[in-house]
Amino acid sequence: MAPSSSTSSPSSLVKNEFLARFPGAAPLIVRSPGRVNLIGEHTDYNHGFVLPAAIDKAIYLAAASRPDNEIHLVALDLRKSYNGSLDKLVSSPMHWPDYLLGVVQQLVLEGHPLGGFNIVFAGDIPLGAGMSSSAALECATAFALNQLFDLGLDTLAMVTLAQKAENRFVGVQCGIMDQFASMFGRRDQVIRLDCDSLQYTYFPLQLDGIRIVLLDTHVHHSLASSEYNTRRRQCETGVRLIRENCPEVASLRDVTLDMLDSYVAPVDQLVDRRCRFIVGENARLLAATEDLKRGDLTAFGQKMFETHQGLSREYEVSCPELDFLVDQVRDDPAVLGARMMGGGFGGCTINLVKAEAVDALAGRIAPVYRKEMKRELTAYVARIEDGTSVVPD
Ligand code: GAF
């Protein structure tokens, strides 16, 4: 959705609500998008590669400073508000304030001079669908506070700060992908990010008649964050086992299949399966970016199916609903590739679909999904957009 100045746009909605609740000068308005990830899943915290992009679904946040130390937050979509203070940053039983307070806490810990502020936000990123609404909210907060208090943080500093907020305040040991994509996104380009060096390259995404379709399972497993942290620990165990023999290995990025055969498989088969997926996924991503350079979306799409297989069978972060949706499109000639996207255990699948077949696809799958999985299906077409920025007046 492109922000516009019409009264119904999300940016004018948050602005008007802000002015109604906090009369005074016009607030700063920030747009911070969700993301898709084309390939390279669970590789970020293993120092590997990812291929995300920011999308046209975003958080819109209106912010202004206050003369005291108070923090007033309003989540318009949830119709909830939070009042607190800079002097007492503790996590909230409502949970949603933590994404903002975590950013504030990191800024305070880093010694940045902050004052109190008011924020009103809303958005159109479906919650729990795996499009990273939480990272978008963290990035929007970091971006807004950086501007309001003239902190002089560069984009990468805001990204790492937003990630730390999630790791240390919210308690999910996520990697850097979601925050990076939300901040660094560029219209019609995907980002190949090396999560070890943090070097990144933009690749034009020539979709020529292909659409990125997200099929939302409407499954939100509470398992997601605990299992996510477990996967992370299992990967660390694999690295530890290998390092007993190969001390030069720093992360799964440096690991070969031979090393897994020799040092992990004989000791712990579950850890071996997890690590094997990551090693294969990094190689697959590098090959997939070659497909992109050649404009071969058919070969690229095949690799998305392979990724799904690995996430489902080896990494075991899928769920019956995600598997069902991928199985439904596997033999459809209008679908070039499909896989579960993001952390897993629910959320959505990402599909590359011929433009003329998008409506028919959703129309075909929704009734069978309802019948077999007893849930509704929502389809979104995602466009690739710019990252976090100020919405001009
Ligand atoms: C979630 C995390 F937040 C990311 O850092 C990433 O690990 C992803 O799951 C899986 O690739 O979105």
Side-chain angles (χ1 to χ4, degrees):
M1 182 189 308
S4 80
S5 57
S6 95
T7 46
S8 59
S9 73
S11 57
S12 44
L13 177 80
V14 292
K15 181 177 175 182
N16 293 339
E17 275 292 329
F18 187 98
L19 289 171
R21 286 166 192 257
F22 308 109
L28 171 75
I29 311 287
V30 171
R31 170 191 175 275
S32 191
R35 62 101 189 90
V36 289
N37 183 28
L38 288 179
I39 201 161
E41 217 63 272
H42 287 270
T43 41
D44 59 352
Y45 56 83
N46 284 304
H47 296 247
F49 297 94
V50 290
L51 199 65
I55 58 173
D56 59 336
K57 307 198 182 317
I59 297 281
Y60 293 84
L61 181 148
S65 57
R66 326 174 27 108
D68 53 23
N69 265 2
E70 291 193 14
I71 298 174
H72 291 211
L73 309 173
V74 179
L76 272 189
D77 298 325
L78 301 176
R79 296 171 194 278
K80 296 264 192 268
S81 54
Y82 165 96
N83 291 348
S85 163
L86 258 186
D87 307 323
K88 191 161 178 274
L89 293 168
V90 285
S91 84
S92 159
M94 285 190 287
H95 196 56
W96 64 265
D98 293 356
Y99 297 106
L100 302 101
L101 298 178
V103 170
V104 177
Q105 187 199 48
Q106 287 310 307
L107 287 169
V108 170
L109 287 173
E110 289 184 10
H112 294 289
L114 287 186
F117 57 88
N118 300 320
I119 281 182
V120 173
F121 70 94
D124 58 3
I125 310 174
L127 294 182
M131 295 177 216
S132 292
S133 52
S134 47
L137 182 53
E138 290 153 358
C139 290
T141 307
F143 196 95
L145 296 180
N146 187 40
Q147 293 255 330
L148 283 185
F149 296 102
D150 207 9
L151 304 179
L153 296 171
D154 66 19
T155 310
L156 187 58
M158 289 189 278
V159 166
T160 51
L161 192 122
Q163 184 199 5
K164 278 188 207 154
E166 176 106 17
N167 292 167
R168 298 178 185 174
F169 201 83
V170 179
V172 177
Q173 301 308 312
C174 68
I176 200 167
M177 170 173 74
D178 299 352
Q179 290 81 3
F180 198 98
S182 184
M183 283 278 195
F184 279 92
R186 234 184 230 180
R187 178 178 281 192
D188 294 332
Q189 317 231 6
V190 292
I191 312 166
R192 190 183 70 189
L193 171 65
D194 177 336
C195 300
D196 192 47
S197 65
L198 296 186
Q199 285 185 342
Y200 58 99
T201 316
Y202 292 101
F203 286 86
L205 191 59
Q206 283 146 3
L207 285 172
D208 301 331
I210 304 294
R211 297 283 178 272
I212 298 174
V213 179
L214 305 175
L215 295 178
D216 186 354
T217 59
H218 288 281
V219 174
H220 312 290
H221 273 307
S222 53
L223 270 183
S225 55
S226 62
E227 284 295 319
Y228 185 93
N229 291 348
T230 303
R231 292 298 174 283
R232 199 172 170 144
R233 277 199 305 279
Q234 288 166 335
C235 292
E236 286 162 5
T237 302
V239 171
R240 213 169 38 247
L241 289 171
I242 293 170
R243 275 175 60 82
E244 286 167 10
N245 297 278
C246 312
E248 72 282 7
V249 162
S251 69
L252 284 183
R253 167 71 168 275
D254 308 325
V255 165
T256 62
L257 294 177
D258 284 347
M259 289 178 189
L260 293 175
D261 288 341
S262 306
Y263 309 123
V264 183
V267 182
D268 190 328
Q269 298 217 332
L270 182 64
V271 167
D272 178 61
R273 254 201 340 268
R274 305 294 191 238
C275 296
R276 211 162 275 274
F277 166 74
I278 299 295
V279 172
E281 180 72 350
N282 273 324
R284 196 159 32 239
L285 182 145
L286 293 176
T289 46
E290 293 307 311
D291 297 339
L292 269 195
K293 282 188 208 158
R294 287 197 315 275
D296 188 349
L297 285 180
T298 306
F300 188 96
Q302 248 350 90
K303 294 185 178 65
M304 292 171 71
F305 282 120
E306 289 167 20
T307 289
H308 184 79
Q309 185 74 3
L311 286 166
S312 177
R313 301 292 159 79
E314 293 180 300
Y315 217 63
E316 295 182 280
V317 290
S318 186
C319 63
E321 293 83 356
L322 287 165
D323 289 344
F324 180 86
L325 291 179
V326 172
D327 284 344
Q328 281 293 315
V329 301
R330 201 180 297 280
D331 297 321
D332 187 327
V335 180
L336 281 67
R339 62 179 196 82
M340 57 149 280
M341 185 177 76
F345 301 102
C348 56
T349 62
I350 175 169
N351 304 260
L352 297 184
V353 184
K354 291 184 181 159
E356 66 278 11
V358 170
D359 291 343
L361 180 83
R364 169 173 74 77
I365 299 177
V368 272
Y369 184 71
R370 190 180 304 123
K371 180 161 181 275
E372 297 295 326
M373 297 288 136
K374 314 281 181 270
R375 288 175 192 274
E376 292 305 309
L377 182 74
T378 310
Y380 302 94
V381 174
R383 283 190 291 117
I384 305 299
E385 278 297 343
D386 285 332
T388 308
S389 62
V390 170
V391 179
D393 270 341

